[in-house]
Every structure is written in structure tokens, then in C-alpha cells.
């Protein structure tokens, strides 16, 4: 079973029904080549089980798929791509990544974009775990099978125009922030595998900050929050 995720061709050694259902939109029947093989063992599943506190509520299928994603992301990292925790949307051909601590309301915020600009005009590329990849001097955010409990996402990509850190507030405001302020916020939202990968993570995050502007959005749950975010991140000459 071969998957195409973030334009990488992955030979999936584990062929269970759980993986087939999860990755059905990413299956590739005739890959031109294979970038790498991903295979998980019981020790990988046990690691995910331990991270979750051995909860019986989660289920073995979830542990297995999380183990697979961790394995795939480790391979991506060695090829110049990495995981971001966040929600990516496409509007007017531009990609916006919203990230924050779990429970802050990232998904709720992007749904306000759909209400404001039209459900058919705003596409949620990924609702939880997009992959960031650098190609020909541009930064792209890709959809993945791991797209959150709501399963918002597409098997596609969008060029990233801005990264927005979301915080709850009664009033809506947005500001451009420096790389120094963005770095700790950004680094807390990427997957760190082990200490040997830390240098690579730092290298890619630094590259991302050099190419994509970052913003801090304080917002409530309203369409006005989406309007403030859009106007703050989109240059006036690009607005329609």
C-alpha cells in the first residue's frame, strides 16, 4: 500500500484496515517511485500508549495511527519537511495557518471565515496536523490524513502566506510580531522527535520565519474576528 502525502510517496508496510480507512484519500496506485518505507512495530504502539497514560478509552487503532504518523514525520524531517499543529485554510489562493494551544478555538475561528466570506470560498486544507514543506523557494502547507476530530481537510496544498497565533480575548485585534516573539510560540507547535533532530527542527523553523510573516491575533468568537484577521494579514492591494 503506497500513500502520497505532501508529495512524498510512502510505502506503508502495515496494511491493516485501520490504516486503509484512515488514508483512503491518500492512496496511490501507480507511484512513479518510492521516497521511503514506513513500518511500525509493537514497541512504537506501546510508546504512544504510554504517552496517553495507557488510556483504554483511546483504543489500539488510534495508538497505531499515531505511531505511524510519528514514524512518517521523522522521515519527512530528514527530507526538509515537518509537522505543524494548527489549522490551514485557503482563501483567494492564499494559505493562512492558525495555531495555538489545544482548546483555544482555532477551528471555531476558521469557521467564522467561512461564515464571513462564503463556505465555498474558504477551504480548510487541514484541521489539525498539516505538513510544511519548502519547494523552489516557496513554503507550502499540505493536507494529511491526520486532520482532527472534525476531519476537516483535503488532499492538497496551498502556498503559505501567513502564520497566525491565536489567543482568546473579548476584543479583536491583530499585530505583526517579530521573529524573536514568534520563535517560542512556533517551536511549541511542532513535533520534536528526539535530541538528534533538534538542530534540523531549528534550521527549518528559522527558514520558515525568514519566508512567512507571523501575527498575533486576539479574538472572540465572531465573524468580526475573521474580518480583523484577514485585514491584518492581507496587504491592502491584494484585497478584492
Amino acid at each position: 500500500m503506497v500513500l502520497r502525502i505532501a508529495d512524498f510517496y510512502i510505502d506503508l508496510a502495515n496494511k491493516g484496515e485501520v490504516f486503509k480507512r484512515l488514508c483512503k484519500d491518500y492512496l496511490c496506485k501507480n507511484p512513479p517511485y518510492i521516497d521511503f518505507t514506513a513500518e511500525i512495530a509493537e514497541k512504537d504502539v506501546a510508546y504512544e500508549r504510554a504517552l496517553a497514560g495507557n488510556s483504554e478509552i483511546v483504543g489500539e487503532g488510534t495508538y497505531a495511527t499515531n505511531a505511524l504518523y510519528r514514524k512518517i514525520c521523522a522521515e519527512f524531517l530528514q527530507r526538509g519537511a515537518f509537522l505543524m499543529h494548527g489549522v490551514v485554510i485557503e482563501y483567494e489562493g492564499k494559505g493562512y495557518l492558525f495555531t495555538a494551544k489545544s482548546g483555544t478555538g482555532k477551528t471555531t475561528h476558521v469557521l467564522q471565515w467561512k461564515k464571513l466570506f462564503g463556505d465555498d470560498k474558504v477551504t480548510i486544507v487541514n484541521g489539525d496536523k498539516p505538513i510544511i514543506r519548502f519547494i523552489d523557494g516557496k513554503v507550502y502547507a499540505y493536507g494529511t490524513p491526520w486532520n482532527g476530530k472534525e476531519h476537516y481537510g483535503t488532499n492538497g496544498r496551498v502556498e503559505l502566506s501567513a502564520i497566525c497565533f491565536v489567543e482568546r480575548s473579548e476584543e479583536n485585534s491583530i499585530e505583526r510580531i517579530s521573529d524573536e516573539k514568534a520563535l517560542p510560540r512556533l517551536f511549541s507547535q511542532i513535533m520534536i522527535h528526539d535530541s538528534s533532530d533538534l538542530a534540523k527542527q531549528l534550521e527549518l523553523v528559522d527558514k520558515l520565519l525568514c519566508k512567512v510573516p507571523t501575527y498575533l491575533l486576539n479574538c472572540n468568537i465572531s465573524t468580526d474576528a475573521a474580518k480583523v484577521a484577514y485585514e491584518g494579514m492581507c496587504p491592502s492591494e491584494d484585497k478584492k
Side-chain angles (χ1 to χ4, degrees):
M1 185 163 64
V2 176
L3 309 177
R4 183 180 180 181
I5 301 176
D7 285 332
F8 289 108
Y9 295 96
I10 307 160
D11 183 10
L12 182 58
N14 303 88
K15 298 178 173 62
E17 287 300 316
V18 172
F19 300 120
K20 188 176 291 187
R21 287 196 303 271
L22 176 71
C23 303
K24 60 183 177 64
D25 294 331
Y26 294 81
L27 295 175
C28 182
K29 292 184 178 179
N30 299 298
Y33 51 85
I34 297 297
D35 286 290
F36 61 88
T37 297
E39 182 175 12
I40 61 170
E42 175 52 37
K43 66 177 182 179
D44 302 312
V45 177
Y47 177 75
E48 298 298 331
R49 192 183 302 116
L51 282 181
N54 294 301
S55 172
E56 296 181 0
I57 298 176
V58 176
E60 290 300 303
T62 299
Y63 294 139
T65 57
N66 287 349
L68 176 63
Y69 197 49
R70 192 176 297 276
K71 186 81 67 171
I72 288 175
C73 285
E75 294 286 348
F76 282 173
L77 184 59
Q78 301 310 314
R79 293 164 174 79
F82 64 97
L83 162 78
M84 273 291 299
H85 172 234
V87 181
V88 175
I89 62 172
E90 178 181 3
Y91 177 58
E92 297 179 333
K94 297 180 181 295
Y96 302 93
L97 189 155
F98 297 89
T99 186
K101 295 178 180 178
S102 296
T104 301
K106 302 181 295 297
T107 302
T108 301
H109 176 73
V110 300
L111 291 178
Q112 301 309 311
W113 283 61
K114 282 182 167 287
K115 288 182 181 179
L116 180 65
F117 298 114
D119 184 67
D120 60 334
K121 293 184 178 180
V122 177
T123 300
I124 301 178
V125 178
N126 187 271
D128 190 44
K129 295 181 175 67
I131 292 295
I132 307 301
R133 187 175 181 188
F134 305 88
I135 301 176
D136 297 330
K138 297 179 180 180
V139 184
Y140 292 93
Y142 283 83
T144 73
W146 290 264
N147 49 24
K149 62 185 180 213
E150 298 91 354
H151 300 295
Y152 291 134
T154 63
N155 183 1
R157 73 177 189 180
V158 63
E159 186 176 351
L160 202 56
S161 296
I163 297 171
C164 188
F165 302 102
V166 180
E167 292 188 356
R168 287 279 187 90
S169 175
E170 293 185 2
E171 302 294 328
N172 297 312
S173 65
I174 189 170
E175 62 175 313
R176 175 82 179 266
I177 60 175
S178 66
D179 291 353
E180 290 75 18
K181 289 184 178 180
L183 182 60
R185 294 173 180 269
L186 191 62
F187 209 65
S188 68
Q189 300 301 324
I190 64 176
M191 180 183 286
I192 301 174
H193 300 283
D194 54 46
S195 58
S196 64
D197 289 328
L198 186 57
K200 188 68 175 179
Q201 294 274 20
L202 285 169
E203 174 190 336
L204 294 177
V205 168
D206 182 65
K207 188 176 181 180
L208 179 64
L209 288 173
C210 288
K211 292 182 175 294
V212 182
T214 54
Y215 298 83
L216 175 61
L217 173 67
N218 290 282
C219 65
N220 53 35
I221 303 173
S222 68
T223 53
D224 181 63
K227 183 174 184 292
V228 167
Y230 170 70
E231 291 180 348
M233 292 187 290
C234 186
S236 58
E237 61 269 20
D238 291 344
K239 295 186 177 76
K240 295 181 181 181

